[in-house]
Protein backbone atom coordinates (compact mmCIF):
# COMPACT_ATOMS: atom_id res chain seq x y z
CA UNK A 1 0.00 0.00 0.00
CA UNK A 2 1.30 3.43 -0.92
CA UNK A 3 1.61 6.14 1.69
CA UNK A 4 3.37 9.49 2.24
CA UNK A 5 5.84 8.96 5.06
CA UNK A 6 7.73 11.47 7.19
CA UNK A 7 11.38 10.46 6.95
CA UNK A 8 12.97 13.26 8.95
CA UNK A 9 12.72 16.09 6.45
CA UNK A 10 10.10 18.42 5.02
CA UNK A 11 9.85 16.35 1.83
CA UNK A 12 7.66 13.32 2.46
CA UNK A 13 8.60 10.02 0.83
CA UNK A 14 6.07 7.92 -1.07
CA UNK A 15 6.67 4.38 0.20
CA UNK A 16 5.11 0.98 -0.10
CA UNK A 17 4.14 0.04 3.43
CA UNK A 18 2.60 -3.13 4.82
CA UNK A 19 -0.17 -2.62 7.41
CA UNK A 20 -0.32 -5.09 10.29
CA UNK A 21 -3.41 -7.25 10.66
CA UNK A 22 -6.13 -5.21 12.39
CA UNK A 23 -6.45 -5.76 16.15
CA UNK A 24 -9.81 -6.47 17.84
CA UNK A 25 -10.61 -2.73 18.19
CA UNK A 26 -9.23 -1.77 14.77
CA UNK A 27 -10.93 -0.81 11.55
CA UNK A 28 -9.47 -0.74 8.03
CA UNK A 29 -10.65 2.24 6.01
CA UNK A 30 -10.16 2.74 2.30
CA UNK A 31 -9.24 6.43 2.08
CA UNK A 32 -11.28 8.34 -0.49
CA UNK A 33 -10.02 11.83 0.25
CA UNK A 34 -7.49 13.48 2.55
CA UNK A 35 -6.98 17.20 2.99
CA UNK A 36 -3.44 18.56 3.33
CA UNK A 37 -3.48 20.67 6.49
CA UNK A 38 -0.88 23.10 7.78
CA UNK A 39 -0.32 20.85 10.80
CA UNK A 40 1.02 18.16 8.47
CA UNK A 41 3.66 20.60 7.26
CA UNK A 42 4.37 21.73 10.83
CA UNK A 43 5.10 18.13 11.80
CA UNK A 44 7.25 17.58 8.72
CA UNK A 45 9.22 20.66 9.78
CA UNK A 46 9.73 19.35 13.29
CA UNK A 47 7.58 21.93 15.10
CA UNK A 48 6.40 19.02 17.17
CA UNK A 49 9.24 16.51 17.54
CA UNK A 50 8.45 13.26 15.76
CA UNK A 51 10.74 10.33 14.92
CA UNK A 52 10.95 9.32 11.24
CA UNK A 53 8.52 6.65 10.07
CA UNK A 54 5.17 8.38 10.56
CA UNK A 55 2.54 8.29 7.83
CA UNK A 56 1.21 11.85 7.91
CA UNK A 57 -2.35 13.03 7.25
CA UNK A 58 -5.10 13.51 9.82
CA UNK A 59 -8.00 14.94 7.79
CA UNK A 60 -9.69 12.18 5.88
CA UNK A 61 -12.76 10.28 4.89
CA UNK A 62 -13.41 6.89 3.38
CA UNK A 63 -15.24 3.61 3.50
CA UNK A 64 -14.93 0.84 6.08
CA UNK A 65 -13.57 -2.30 4.42
CA UNK A 66 -12.71 -4.49 7.41
CA UNK A 67 -13.47 -4.51 11.14
CA UNK A 68 -11.79 -6.19 14.11
CA UNK A 69 -13.61 -8.75 16.29
CA UNK A 70 -14.67 -6.31 19.03
CA UNK A 71 -15.65 -3.40 16.81
CA UNK A 72 -19.20 -2.19 17.44
CA UNK A 73 -19.10 1.44 16.37
CA UNK A 74 -18.95 0.95 12.59
CA UNK A 75 -19.65 -1.76 10.04
CA UNK A 76 -18.19 -2.79 6.73
CA UNK A 77 -19.46 -0.44 4.01
CA UNK A 78 -20.06 2.52 6.36
CA UNK A 79 -19.04 5.96 5.20
CA UNK A 80 -16.82 7.47 7.88
CA UNK A 81 -14.92 10.64 8.70
CA UNK A 82 -11.74 10.21 10.71
CA UNK A 83 -11.51 12.12 13.97
CA UNK A 84 -7.90 13.06 14.74
CA UNK A 85 -8.71 12.81 18.42
CA UNK A 86 -10.55 9.60 19.24
CA UNK A 87 -13.71 9.78 21.32
CA UNK A 88 -14.01 6.57 23.33
CA UNK A 89 -17.18 7.61 25.15
CA UNK A 90 -16.01 6.00 28.41
CA UNK A 91 -13.09 7.97 29.83
CA UNK A 92 -13.43 10.84 32.32
CA UNK A 93 -13.22 13.50 29.59
CA UNK A 94 -15.71 11.80 27.29
CA UNK A 95 -18.11 11.46 30.22
CA UNK A 96 -17.66 15.12 31.12
CA UNK A 97 -18.60 16.45 27.73
CA UNK A 98 -15.01 17.09 26.60
CA UNK A 99 -14.28 14.27 24.19
CA UNK A 100 -11.68 16.46 22.44
CA UNK A 101 -9.43 15.54 25.38
CA UNK A 102 -10.21 11.81 25.29
CA UNK A 103 -7.73 9.64 27.21
CA UNK A 104 -7.28 7.41 24.18
CA UNK A 105 -5.47 10.18 22.31
CA UNK A 106 -1.88 9.42 23.23
CA UNK A 107 -2.37 5.66 23.10
CA UNK A 108 -3.62 5.71 19.51
CA UNK A 109 -1.03 8.29 18.41
CA UNK A 110 1.99 6.13 19.22
CA UNK A 111 0.91 2.59 18.31
CA UNK A 112 2.90 0.90 15.52
CA UNK A 113 0.71 0.23 12.49
CA UNK A 114 2.77 -2.05 10.29
CA UNK A 115 6.11 -2.25 8.53
CA UNK A 116 7.96 -0.09 6.04
CA UNK A 117 9.89 -1.38 3.04
CA UNK A 118 13.08 -1.63 5.11
CA UNK A 119 11.30 -3.74 7.73
CA UNK A 120 11.13 -1.03 10.40
CA UNK A 121 7.77 -0.28 12.03
CA UNK A 122 5.71 2.69 10.90
CA UNK A 123 3.39 4.85 12.94
CA UNK A 124 0.49 7.05 11.93
CA UNK A 125 -0.05 10.73 12.70
CA UNK A 126 -2.72 11.05 15.42
CA UNK A 127 -3.35 7.33 14.99
CA UNK A 128 -4.72 7.92 11.48
CA UNK A 129 -2.20 8.48 8.67
CA UNK A 130 -4.65 9.50 5.96
CA UNK A 131 -1.93 10.23 3.34
CA UNK A 132 -2.33 6.66 2.15
CA UNK A 133 -4.53 4.39 0.09
CA UNK A 134 -5.93 2.90 3.28
CA UNK A 135 -5.47 3.18 7.02
CA UNK A 136 -5.94 0.94 10.02
CA UNK A 137 -7.16 2.87 13.04
CA UNK A 138 -8.98 2.43 16.33
CA UNK A 139 -12.76 2.28 15.98
CA UNK A 140 -13.10 5.30 18.28
CA UNK A 141 -11.23 7.43 15.74
CA UNK A 142 -14.09 7.06 13.28
CA UNK A 143 -17.50 8.66 13.02
CA UNK A 144 -20.10 7.24 10.70
CA UNK A 145 -21.99 9.80 8.62
CA UNK A 146 -25.04 9.53 6.38
CA UNK A 147 -24.64 11.72 3.33
CA UNK A 148 -23.97 12.03 -0.39
CA UNK A 149 -21.62 15.00 -0.01
CA UNK A 150 -18.51 14.40 -2.18
CA UNK A 151 -15.52 12.86 -0.41
CA UNK A 152 -13.20 15.82 -0.97
CA UNK A 153 -15.61 18.04 0.98
CA UNK A 154 -16.28 15.49 3.72
CA UNK A 155 -12.56 15.03 4.38
CA UNK A 156 -12.26 18.64 5.54
CA UNK A 157 -14.67 17.98 8.39
CA UNK A 158 -11.93 15.76 9.85
CA UNK A 159 -9.81 18.80 10.76
CA UNK A 160 -10.18 22.25 9.16
CA UNK A 161 -13.95 22.60 9.26
CA UNK A 162 -14.38 21.18 12.75
CA UNK A 163 -11.43 23.13 14.16
CA UNK A 164 -12.62 26.44 12.67
CA UNK A 165 -16.41 26.25 12.78
CA UNK A 166 -16.15 24.58 16.18
CA UNK A 167 -13.93 27.38 17.53
CA UNK A 168 -16.63 29.92 16.65
CA UNK A 169 -19.68 27.87 17.70
CA UNK A 170 -18.38 25.68 20.54
CA UNK A 171 -15.32 27.36 22.06
CA UNK A 172 -16.04 31.08 21.76
CA UNK A 173 -19.83 30.70 21.42
CA UNK A 174 -20.09 33.73 19.13
CA UNK A 175 -23.37 35.58 19.70
CA UNK A 176 -25.66 37.01 17.01
CA UNK A 177 -24.90 40.64 16.22
CA UNK A 178 -21.35 40.53 17.57
CA UNK A 179 -18.09 41.62 15.94
CA UNK A 180 -15.38 39.10 15.10
CA UNK A 181 -11.77 39.47 13.93
CA UNK A 182 -10.00 36.46 12.38
CA UNK A 183 -6.20 36.50 12.06
CA UNK A 184 -5.06 34.07 9.40
CA UNK A 185 -7.49 33.10 6.65
CA UNK A 186 -6.29 29.73 5.35
CA UNK A 187 -8.40 26.59 5.63
CA UNK A 188 -9.12 26.84 9.34
CA UNK A 189 -9.46 30.65 9.32
CA UNK A 190 -11.98 30.37 6.51
CA UNK A 191 -13.92 27.89 8.63
CA UNK A 192 -13.84 30.28 11.61
CA UNK A 193 -15.28 32.99 9.35
CA UNK A 194 -18.05 30.65 8.28
CA UNK A 195 -18.74 29.63 11.88
CA UNK A 196 -19.06 33.30 12.85
CA UNK A 197 -21.39 33.86 9.90
CA UNK A 198 -23.53 30.87 10.87
CA UNK A 199 -23.63 32.20 14.46
CA UNK A 200 -24.99 35.51 13.14
CA UNK A 201 -22.04 37.86 13.72
CA UNK A 202 -22.78 41.31 12.28
CA UNK A 203 -19.22 42.15 11.38
CA UNK A 204 -16.50 39.65 10.48
CA UNK A 205 -13.08 41.17 9.88
CA UNK A 206 -10.59 38.99 8.01
CA UNK A 207 -6.94 39.82 8.68
CA UNK A 208 -4.38 38.31 6.32
CA UNK A 209 -1.26 39.48 4.52
CA UNK A 210 -2.07 37.59 1.33
CA UNK A 211 -4.42 39.32 -1.13
CA UNK A 212 -5.90 36.07 -2.45
CA UNK A 213 -6.88 34.99 1.06
CA UNK A 214 -8.49 38.34 1.81
CA UNK A 215 -10.51 38.09 -1.42
CA UNK A 216 -11.61 34.55 -0.63
CA UNK A 217 -12.47 35.47 2.96
CA UNK A 218 -15.16 37.81 1.62
CA UNK A 219 -16.77 34.96 -0.29
CA UNK A 220 -17.04 32.94 2.92
CA UNK A 221 -18.69 35.72 4.89
CA UNK A 222 -16.10 38.31 5.91
CA UNK A 223 -17.69 41.77 5.88
CA UNK A 224 -14.35 43.61 6.04
CA UNK A 225 -10.73 42.78 5.31
CA UNK A 226 -7.57 44.12 6.89
CA UNK A 227 -4.15 44.03 5.24
CA UNK A 228 -1.47 44.23 7.95
CA UNK A 229 0.84 45.90 5.40
CA UNK A 230 -1.50 48.90 5.33
CA UNK A 231 -0.79 49.96 8.91
CA UNK A 232 -1.22 48.58 12.44
CA UNK A 233 -3.83 45.79 12.11
CA UNK A 234 -5.00 46.35 15.71
CA UNK A 235 -5.79 49.98 14.95
CA UNK A 236 -7.51 48.98 11.70
CA UNK A 237 -9.77 46.58 13.61
CA UNK A 238 -10.49 49.23 16.25
CA UNK A 239 -11.40 51.69 13.49
CA UNK A 240 -13.99 49.19 12.27
CA UNK A 241 -15.46 48.63 15.76
CA UNK A 242 -16.13 52.16 17.11
CA UNK A 243 -12.64 52.24 18.59
CA UNK A 244 -13.30 49.35 20.97
CA UNK A 245 -11.84 46.28 19.30
CA UNK A 246 -13.69 43.11 18.35
CA UNK A 247 -16.03 41.22 20.68
CA UNK A 248 -14.15 38.06 19.64
CA UNK A 249 -10.72 37.71 18.09
CA UNK A 250 -9.40 34.42 16.70
CA UNK A 251 -5.73 33.60 16.20
CA UNK A 252 -5.44 31.02 13.44
CA UNK A 253 -1.72 31.30 12.68
CA UNK A 254 0.10 29.66 15.58
CA UNK A 255 2.75 32.31 16.28
CA UNK A 256 3.39 34.12 19.60
CA UNK A 257 3.39 37.52 17.80
CA UNK A 258 -0.03 36.98 16.24
CA UNK A 259 -1.38 35.69 19.55
CA UNK A 260 -0.46 39.05 21.12
CA UNK A 261 -1.97 40.84 18.12
CA UNK A 262 -5.20 38.86 18.57
CA UNK A 263 -5.16 39.72 22.27
CA UNK A 264 -4.85 43.41 21.43
CA UNK A 265 -7.60 43.21 18.79
CA UNK A 266 -10.25 42.09 21.27
CA UNK A 267 -12.17 44.77 23.15
CA UNK A 268 -12.10 45.09 26.92
CA UNK A 269 -14.16 42.22 28.33
CA UNK A 270 -13.95 40.48 24.95
CA UNK A 271 -12.88 36.96 24.04
CA UNK A 272 -9.54 35.91 22.54
CA UNK A 273 -9.61 32.45 21.03
CA UNK A 274 -6.30 30.73 20.23
CA UNK A 275 -6.82 28.23 17.42
CA UNK A 276 -3.39 28.17 15.74
CA UNK A 277 -0.94 25.37 16.58
CA UNK A 278 2.36 26.86 17.72
CA UNK A 279 5.74 25.17 17.92
CA UNK A 280 5.97 22.91 20.96
CA UNK A 281 8.86 25.03 22.34
CA UNK A 282 7.31 28.48 21.77
CA UNK A 283 6.17 30.72 24.62
CA UNK A 284 4.03 33.83 24.62
CA UNK A 285 4.13 36.78 27.04
CA UNK A 286 1.00 38.73 27.92
CA UNK A 287 1.01 42.14 29.62
CA UNK A 288 0.31 41.31 33.27
CA UNK A 289 -1.62 44.42 34.30
CA UNK A 290 -3.96 44.23 31.31
CA UNK A 291 -4.83 40.60 32.08
CA UNK A 292 -6.65 41.91 35.11
CA UNK A 293 -7.58 45.38 33.96
CA UNK A 294 -9.04 44.61 30.54
CA UNK A 295 -10.69 41.38 31.67
CA UNK A 296 -10.33 39.60 28.36
CA UNK A 297 -11.09 35.92 28.26
CA UNK A 298 -8.26 33.96 26.62
CA UNK A 299 -9.52 30.59 25.41
CA UNK A 300 -7.48 27.78 23.92
CA UNK A 301 -9.41 25.88 21.29
CA UNK A 302 -8.42 22.30 20.54
CA UNK A 303 -10.26 20.64 17.68
CA UNK A 304 -12.97 23.30 17.92
CA UNK A 305 -14.00 21.97 21.36
CA UNK A 306 -15.85 19.45 19.24
CA UNK A 307 -17.93 16.49 20.28
CA UNK A 308 -17.24 14.68 17.07
CA UNK A 309 -20.13 12.24 17.37
CA UNK A 310 -22.50 15.18 17.53
CA UNK A 311 -20.65 17.68 15.37
CA UNK A 312 -19.52 15.74 12.30
CA UNK A 313 -23.08 14.98 11.21
CA UNK A 314 -24.09 18.50 12.24
CA UNK A 315 -21.49 19.97 9.87
CA UNK A 316 -22.53 17.54 7.12
CA UNK A 317 -26.10 18.78 7.54
CA UNK A 318 -24.93 22.41 7.31
CA UNK A 319 -23.11 21.56 4.06
CA UNK A 320 -26.15 19.77 2.64
CA UNK A 321 -28.42 22.73 3.33
CA UNK A 322 -25.96 25.20 1.82
CA UNK A 323 -25.20 27.00 5.09
CA UNK A 324 -21.59 25.87 5.16
CA UNK A 325 -19.59 26.20 1.95
CA UNK A 326 -16.89 23.57 1.86
CA UNK A 327 -16.86 23.11 -1.91
CA UNK A 328 -14.99 26.40 -2.38
CA UNK A 329 -12.52 25.48 0.36
CA UNK A 330 -11.28 22.63 -1.86
CA UNK A 331 -8.87 24.45 -4.17
CA UNK A 332 -7.21 21.43 -5.80
CA UNK A 333 -7.71 17.71 -6.03
CA UNK A 334 -4.36 15.94 -6.31
CA UNK A 335 -2.74 12.51 -6.30
CA UNK A 336 -0.82 11.07 -3.36
CA UNK A 337 2.59 11.68 -4.93
CA UNK A 338 1.81 15.41 -5.28
CA UNK A 339 1.78 15.92 -1.53
CA UNK A 340 5.09 17.83 -1.45
CA UNK A 341 3.80 20.13 -4.18
CA UNK A 342 0.71 20.68 -2.00
CA UNK A 343 2.98 21.82 0.86
CA UNK A 344 4.63 24.31 -1.50
CA UNK A 345 1.28 25.64 -2.77
CA UNK A 346 0.09 26.04 0.82
CA UNK A 347 3.17 28.03 1.77
CA UNK A 348 2.80 30.20 -1.33
CA UNK A 349 -0.79 31.03 -0.33
CA UNK A 350 -2.12 29.58 -3.61
CA UNK A 351 -4.68 27.27 -2.02
CA UNK A 352 -7.12 27.01 0.85
CA UNK A 353 -6.91 23.23 0.72
CA UNK A 354 -5.34 20.68 -1.57
CA UNK A 355 -7.13 17.38 -1.19
CA UNK A 356 -5.45 14.07 -1.98
CA UNK A 357 -7.67 11.59 -3.83
CA UNK A 358 -5.60 8.40 -3.54
CA UNK A 359 -7.93 6.18 -5.54
ZN1 LIG B 1 -5.26 19.77 10.60
ZN1 LIG C 1 -12.59 9.12 25.88
Amino acid sequence: MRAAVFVGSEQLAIENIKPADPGPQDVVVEIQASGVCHSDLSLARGYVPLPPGFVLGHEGTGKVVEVGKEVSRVRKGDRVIASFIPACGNCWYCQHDQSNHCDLESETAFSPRGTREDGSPYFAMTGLGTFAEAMTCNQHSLVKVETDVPAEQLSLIGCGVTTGVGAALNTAEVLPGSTVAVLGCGGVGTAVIQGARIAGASRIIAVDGQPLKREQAKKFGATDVVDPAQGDPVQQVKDLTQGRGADYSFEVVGLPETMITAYNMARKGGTVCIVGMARADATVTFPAFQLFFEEKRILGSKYGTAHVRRDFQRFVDLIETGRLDVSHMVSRKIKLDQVNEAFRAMEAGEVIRSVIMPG
Side-chain angles (χ1 to χ4, degrees):
M1 175 186 81
R2 290 164 76 242
V5 184
F6 169 67
V7 289
S9 72
E10 200 175 308
Q11 295 285 309
L12 304 185
I14 306 298
E15 292 189 2
N16 264 311
I17 56 172
K18 191 173 179 301
D21 290 336
Q25 291 280 327
D26 289 340
V27 177
V28 183
V29 178
E30 177 194 293
I31 305 285
Q32 292 168 332
S34 173
V36 180
C37 172
H38 204 277
S39 304
D40 298 302
L41 179 58
S42 295
L43 254 60
R45 285 186 168 162
Y47 286 11
V48 178
L50 207 62
F54 269 77
V55 177
L56 296 193
H58 61 284
E59 183 181 79
T61 186
K63 201 174 78 178
V64 172
V65 290
E66 193 181 341
V67 295
K69 282 199 290 287
E70 294 167 16
V71 169
S72 57
R73 276 262 157 83
V74 293
R75 289 181 185 170
K76 203 171 158 181
D78 280 353
R79 205 168 185 204
V80 290
I81 300 174
S83 172
F84 76 76
I85 300 169
C88 75
N90 290 319
C91 73
W92 191 93
Y93 287 102
C94 282
Q95 295 197 330
H96 289 78
D97 218 17
Q98 288 192 312
S99 67
N100 60 326
H101 297 287
C102 175
D103 279 343
L104 217 54
E105 183 178 18
S106 51
E107 187 185 317
T108 51
F110 296 100
S111 306
R113 292 286 167 193
T115 46
R116 296 168 66 190
E117 278 171 339
D118 65 3
S120 63
Y122 74 84
F123 299 81
M125 176 177 182
T126 67
L128 298 176
T130 57
F131 291 173
E133 291 168 330
M135 68 175 178
T136 304
C137 66
N138 187 285
Q139 63 165 335
H140 298 298
S141 299
L142 297 171
V143 177
K144 180 189 173 184
V145 288
E146 306 266 3
T147 181
D148 295 321
V149 168
E152 64 272 19
Q153 293 184 41
L154 271 197
S155 68
L156 269 58
I157 292 177
C159 178
V161 165
T162 297
T163 300
V165 178
L169 298 183
N170 298 332
T171 315
E173 299 181 297
V174 171
L175 289 172
S178 56
T179 57
V180 172
V182 181
L183 267 92
C185 301
V188 176
T190 298
V192 173
I193 289 168
Q194 295 208 61
R197 190 197 71 227
I198 291 165
S202 59
R203 184 152 243 173
I204 303 170
I205 306 163
V207 185
D208 200 293
Q210 286 170 326
L212 182 71
K213 291 199 177 154
R214 290 196 300 277
E215 262 329 290
Q216 283 168 334
K218 286 189 208 162
K219 293 182 190 148
F220 292 109
T223 57
D224 303 86
V225 292
V226 160
D227 176 4
Q230 300 297 313
D232 178 13
V234 173
Q235 191 55 50
Q236 292 190 66
V237 167
K238 285 189 172 174
D239 290 345
L240 290 164
T241 52
Q242 289 92 40
R244 285 193 298 272
D247 297 326
Y248 305 87
S249 64
F250 292 86
E251 200 276 356
V252 202
V253 182
L255 293 173
E257 306 89 89
T258 39
M259 289 176 190
I260 292 293
T261 307
Y263 178 81
N264 290 329
M265 268 178 192
R267 66 164 167 82
K268 283 189 278 188
T271 298
V272 185
C273 189
I274 306 297
V275 186
M277 186 182 93
R279 293 182 64 102
D281 56 0
T283 55
V284 58
T285 308
F286 288 99
F289 177 76
Q290 276 93 324
L291 281 179
F292 140 78
F293 189 74
E294 296 183 336
E295 205 192 27
K296 296 179 186 179
R297 297 189 305 148
I298 305 175
L299 305 176
S301 181
K302 185 187 183 194
Y303 210 2
T305 318
H307 307 281
V308 290
R309 297 192 186 286
R310 174 196 69 191
D311 287 341
F312 279 7
Q313 186 67 47
R314 189 180 174 207
F315 297 147
V316 167
D317 294 346
L318 284 165
I319 294 171
E320 284 185 338
T321 52
R323 314 271 289 170
L324 178 60
D325 176 8
V326 179
S327 68
H328 290 98
M329 292 172 72
V330 178
S331 315
R332 288 176 193 170
K333 291 195 269 183
I334 60 169
K335 294 288 166 200
L336 186 62
D337 55 12
Q338 292 172 293
V339 62
N340 292 310
E341 157 60 18
F343 280 165
R344 188 208 58 77
M346 180 196 296
E347 277 297 276
E350 293 169 10
V351 293
I352 296 176
R353 270 289 193 273
S354 300
V355 179
I356 298 171
M357 314 292 284

